[in-house]
Amino acid sequence: MLLEQARDILAEIAQAAPHTPAELEQFRIRYLGSKNVIKALSAEIRHIPNEQKRDFGRLINEAMQAAEIKYQALKAQLEQETESQQAAALDLSAPAELWVWGTRHPISITINRVIRIFERLGFVVAEDREIEDDWHNFTALNTPEDHPARDMQDTFYLRGSQNLLLRTHTSSVQVRLMEVQKPPIRIIAPGRVYRNETISARSHCQFHQVEGLYVDEGVSFADLKQTLLYFAQEMFGATQIRLRPSFFPFTEPSAEMDVYLGTETEDARRLTKGTGWLEILGCGMVDPNVLANCNIDPEKYTGFAFGMGIERQAMRLFGISDIRLLFENDVRFLRQFATVV
Ligand code: DAH
């Protein structure tokens, strides 16, 4: 009787044909699980007459092996089937699904390019607040009380305050930084600035600047020139720069830098008003008064600084003719820059 049962189980296993993962799992539980039928039957061996014990044991062993072999084979087969089904469902010629990421703003793209160039020269990025006080925006930068830049006409003061204002340039970051860090200092400070100007195609009351500052022992005007030449080459592919004497309260001597774009293309002629030269930035050697205002010894240290507007560079890079487009955030305009880095 028990011998019969063992034979039946063996036959059952031979015939079983699980097709789905669920059926295979049922097979496993029935013949290989912790409470499987083979185990249960083998526990009955004590009821078997002695002369049949050997046969019974052999049948039980065979059943266990057969179950294991069948299970492994079916499992491998099922896995292969699923894989080929998945492969068949995969259409490699189908067009990629369009994934709508946000796009980078042309201003950010331009700022990032400037940063990448200066990072190669060892400059690190510094950022600071847009609401500044008079000291950091003007006084510490050697800008006298009666300087026209301090006029209410040019600067947005915060309501009810003669001390707090929207910074008019990123030069304020120079002061913020030199107050807390001592030379060597080599930073680049991108950010938004504000001036009380009428909005038109060519000017806006908010725009962006990147400030640069390098203070150490023995920094010279030659270092400034070489740094700016490298920048002009990398950013504009320009071969020549021109430094024109100028005035800023916080640098002495001061200069304005033009890059040579040539007059070959219509674009270059329009941008440079036919001269071939495009004005890019203001610069100079940091005025000793500014260093002293930040508790840096002007006898020991010298430095150079520069500040450039970003909008005009972005407009030139991307052929944008109206500055207002950069602030309206019309997604139809912005999406055009999806693939630009
Ligand atoms: N802050 C000046 C501006 O907004 C630009 C500038 C000129 C920055 C000369 C500098 C500099 O650091 O040295 O027009």
Side-chain angles (χ1 to χ4, degrees), residues 106-119:
I107 292 294
S108 303
I109 296 170
T110 311
I111 288 178
N112 287 344
R113 286 189 188 179
V114 175
I115 290 173
R116 279 204 295 271
I117 294 167
F118 282 102
E119 271 178 349

Side-chain angles (χ1 to χ4, degrees), residues 46-206:
R46 57 204 143 92
H47 303 303
I48 299 218
N50 275 343
E51 67 276 17
Q52 290 180 7
K53 278 204 166 102
R54 256 187 73 168
D55 279 349
F56 183 75
R58 189 176 46 78
L59 284 169
I60 292 288
N61 271 340
E62 267 179 41
M64 283 188 328
Q65 275 174 24
E68 182 65 32
I69 289 168
K70 185 149 204 168
Y71 174 73
Q72 291 302 344
L74 286 172
K75 192 170 146 210
Q77 192 185 329
L78 255 176
E79 277 168 4
Q80 216 179 22
E81 275 171 20
T82 338
E83 251 173 52
S84 49
Q85 270 167 14
Q86 281 170 350
L90 200 65
D91 178 1
L92 293 178
S93 67
E97 260 176 57
L98 196 60
W99 191 274
V100 188
W101 300 100
T103 63
R104 269 198 217 297
H105 195 282
I107 292 294
S108 303
I109 296 170
T110 311
I111 288 178
N112 287 344
R113 286 189 188 179
V114 175
I115 290 173
R116 279 204 295 271
I117 294 167
F118 282 102
E119 271 178 349
R120 270 178 253 147
L121 296 175
F123 285 75
V124 294
V125 173
E127 285 180 311
D128 219 292
R129 66 213 70 188
E130 292 177 16
I131 296 178
E132 254 312 348
D133 54 36
D134 185 88
W135 169 258
H136 293 91
N137 196 79
F138 292 127
T139 313
L141 286 164
N142 209 29
T143 309
E145 286 286 343
D146 56 359
H147 195 281
R150 302 181 79 138
D151 198 310
M152 299 284 257
Q153 300 305 314
D154 289 328
T155 304
F156 290 116
Y157 285 87
L158 265 65
R159 186 167 291 152
S161 170
Q162 285 178 351
N163 188 42
L164 287 179
L165 47 90
L166 297 181
R167 67 179 177 193
T168 60
H169 52 188
T170 42
S171 304
S172 55
V173 184
Q174 289 188 29
V175 182
R176 287 276 169 200
L177 202 101
M178 285 193 282
E179 281 176 347
V180 295
Q181 195 185 314
K182 297 306 150 198
I185 293 172
R186 198 159 18 173
I187 57 114
I188 195 101
R192 195 184 287 249
V193 302
Y194 303 85
R195 286 187 204 167
N196 193 357
E197 281 181 24
T198 321
I199 298 174
S200 73
R202 299 197 53 79
S203 75
H204 210 283
C205 57
Q206 56 174 332

Side-chain angles (χ1 to χ4, degrees), residues 168-169 171 174 195 209 211-212 248 250-251 282-284 305-307:
T168 60
H169 52 188
S171 304
Q174 289 188 29
R195 286 187 204 167
Q209 289 187 333
E211 189 81 10
F248 299 101
F250 32 90
T251 42
C283 60
F306 55 87

Side-chain angles (χ1 to χ4, degrees), residues 235-266:
M235 190 77 184
F236 301 97
T239 48
Q240 290 180 62
I241 60 170
R242 180 168 82 176
L243 290 170
R244 282 178 291 104
S246 183
F247 174 79
F248 299 101
F250 32 90
T251 42
E252 181 58 36
S254 304
E256 273 167 307
M257 181 185 86
D258 305 334
V259 292
Y260 189 63
L261 300 180
T263 50
E264 285 78 47
T265 64
E266 200 188 311

Side-chain angles (χ1 to χ4, degrees), residues 118 121 123 186 214-231 241 243 284-285 302-306:
F118 282 102
L121 296 175
F123 285 75
R186 198 159 18 173
Y214 180 22
V215 184
D216 201 351
E217 285 179 56
V219 176
S220 72
F221 200 84
D223 296 323
L224 171 62
K225 263 166 72 177
Q226 194 56 41
T227 304
L228 294 180
L229 176 62
Y230 177 74
F231 169 71
I241 60 170
L243 290 170
M285 299 305 290
T302 53
F304 68 67
F306 55 87

